[in-house]
């Protein structure tokens, strides 16, 4: 399985940042890992014209193909542009847009139908971790947002503890390992042979300074990176750590 360094710009960045990030194309020209940048939707088209070896993804898609859904973008439209991956169920979407596990599953299936790889995000809140609910929450999210219909096409899982996103607080290696092992076992038990080919990303305050340690954890196949993916040197050092892992 190829490892993946994915950047989620959220509602950040600009054409200038995009042009600066194009330096990654030269630095990681012959990369052994996949690199993906998910800019805000309005920057997808310029990003596609600027990048060739780095893939461009979206941060969300609608669950339906078309219709009266003002402000939304369908997976078909993303595919039409040449987008190859889409984040679904990021905690900011789950919390700010009250997205449920079943909506996340519908979006993931819509993406696959359009030929786009969904990156399904899961993760517990601080309250849930502190009350010992982490693995129950992860299992519930996987039960609700994964389905056997998904398994005919590639997909990715990103474990992002909500309390680690944008906070600088990273779980211990043991805590990350526990969840990633649980996810791999869940996939093996429920979806058998696809388990070995489904990348499990860790996300939440990944930086150049902690990437090596995170990528040494068993069953971590890459990262979903927020803030650090907007800066060439920061994202480049994360990609380099993944290449060396
Ligand atoms: C994210 O937005 O998915 C994320 C992990 O953000 P950060 O790396 O900034 O914590």
């Amino acid at each position: 399985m190829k490892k993946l360094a994915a950047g989620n710009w959220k509602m950040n960045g600009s054409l200038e940042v995009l042009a600066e990030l194009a330096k990654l194309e030269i630095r990681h020209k012959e990369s052994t890992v996949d690199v993906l940048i998910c800019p805000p939707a309005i920057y997808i088209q310029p990003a596609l014209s600027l990048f060739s070896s780095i893939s461009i993804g979206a941060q969300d898609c609608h669950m339906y193909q078309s219709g009266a859904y003002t402000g939304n973008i369908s997976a078909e439209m993303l595919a039409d542009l040449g987008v190859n991956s889409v984040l679904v169920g990021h905690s900011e979407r789950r919390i700010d847009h009250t997205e449920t596990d079943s909506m996340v599953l519908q979006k993931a299936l819509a993406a696959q139908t359009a030929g786009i790889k969904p990156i399904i995000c899961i993760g517990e809140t601080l309250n849930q971790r502190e009350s010992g609910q982490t693995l129950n929450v992860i299992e519930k999210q996987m039960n609700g947002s994964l389905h056997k219909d998904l398994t005919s096409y590639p997909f990715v899982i990103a474990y992002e503890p909500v309390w680690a996103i944008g906070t600088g607080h990273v779980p211990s290696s043991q805590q990350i390992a526990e969840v990633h092992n649980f996810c791999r076992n869940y996939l093996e038990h429920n979806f058998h042979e696809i388990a070995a080919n489904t990348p499990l990303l860790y996300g939440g305050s990944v930086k150049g300074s902690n990437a090596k340690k995170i990528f040494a954890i068993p069953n971590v196949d890459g990262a979903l990176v927020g803030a650090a993916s907007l800066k060439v040197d920061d994202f480049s050092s994360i990609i380099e750590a993944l290449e060396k892992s």
Side-chain angles (χ1 to χ4, degrees):
M1 169 205 327
K2 217 164 169 195
K3 295 181 176 178
L4 171 65
N8 171 22
W9 283 16
K10 314 188 192 206
M11 199 173 72
N12 296 304
S14 61
L15 287 177
E16 201 183 335
V17 174
L18 205 55
E20 182 67 11
L21 264 273
K23 288 181 185 159
L24 291 173
E25 288 266 338
I26 302 157
R27 290 198 200 172
H28 300 278
K29 202 172 173 48
E30 308 280 302
S31 185
T32 49
V33 306
D34 286 327
V35 182
L36 171 75
I37 293 175
C38 303
I42 197 165
Y43 296 130
I44 288 175
Q45 181 63 70
L48 285 164
S49 332
L50 217 52
F51 292 85
S52 53
S53 58
I54 290 175
S55 303
I56 300 303
Q59 297 176 12
D60 182 46
C61 67
H62 199 270
M63 65 179 86
Y64 298 133
Q65 279 189 352
S66 60
Y69 304 103
T70 302
N72 284 293
I73 296 172
S74 72
E76 275 68 21
M77 293 167 183
L78 296 172
D80 205 13
L81 288 185
V83 163
N84 77 357
S85 304
V86 61
L87 306 179
V88 292
H90 189 282
S91 62
E92 287 152 18
R93 300 284 320 174
R94 289 178 185 261
I95 295 165
D96 300 345
H97 301 266
T98 53
E99 290 187 6
T100 61
D101 288 332
S102 95
M103 288 163 77
V104 173
L105 172 62
Q106 295 312 311
K107 287 177 179 218
L109 291 170
Q112 288 187 332
T113 304
I116 298 179
K117 193 189 294 178
I119 300 176
I120 301 166
C121 305
I122 55 175
E124 81 287 0
T125 63
L126 189 58
N127 270 347
Q128 290 165 335
R129 174 158 287 276
E130 286 178 348
S131 57
Q133 291 300 303
T134 299
L135 295 184
N136 291 343
V137 170
I138 297 298
E139 184 170 24
K140 184 175 165 289
Q141 288 176 333
M142 291 207 288
N143 282 339
S145 50
L146 302 182
H147 184 271
K148 67 175 174 37
D149 289 353
L150 266 175
T151 61
S152 320
Y153 301 99
F155 66 98
V156 175
I157 293 181
Y159 167 55
E160 299 204 301
V162 180
W163 52 276
I165 297 178
T167 60
H169 300 305
V170 180
S172 68
S173 296
Q174 288 76 6
Q175 287 173 322
I176 297 176
E178 183 186 37
V179 176
H180 279 243
N181 292 342
F182 182 83
C183 291
R184 186 76 73 208
N185 288 338
Y186 180 99
L187 291 175
E188 273 165 9
H189 186 255
N190 293 287
F191 303 121
H192 316 292
E193 64 280 2
I194 63 118
N197 295 318
T198 300
L200 299 178
L201 310 185
Y202 166 77
S205 299
V206 178
K207 298 182 174 62
S209 55
N210 59 23
K212 186 175 173 206
K213 190 174 168 203
I214 291 169
F215 296 146
I217 301 168
N219 285 316
V220 173
D221 308 308
L224 179 54
V225 183
S229 70
L230 284 140
K231 297 198 182 104
V232 178
D233 290 341
D234 292 354
F235 200 30
S236 180
S237 52
I238 293 169
I239 298 167
E240 203 181 308
L242 189 60
E243 288 166 343
K244 288 182 180 156
S245 68

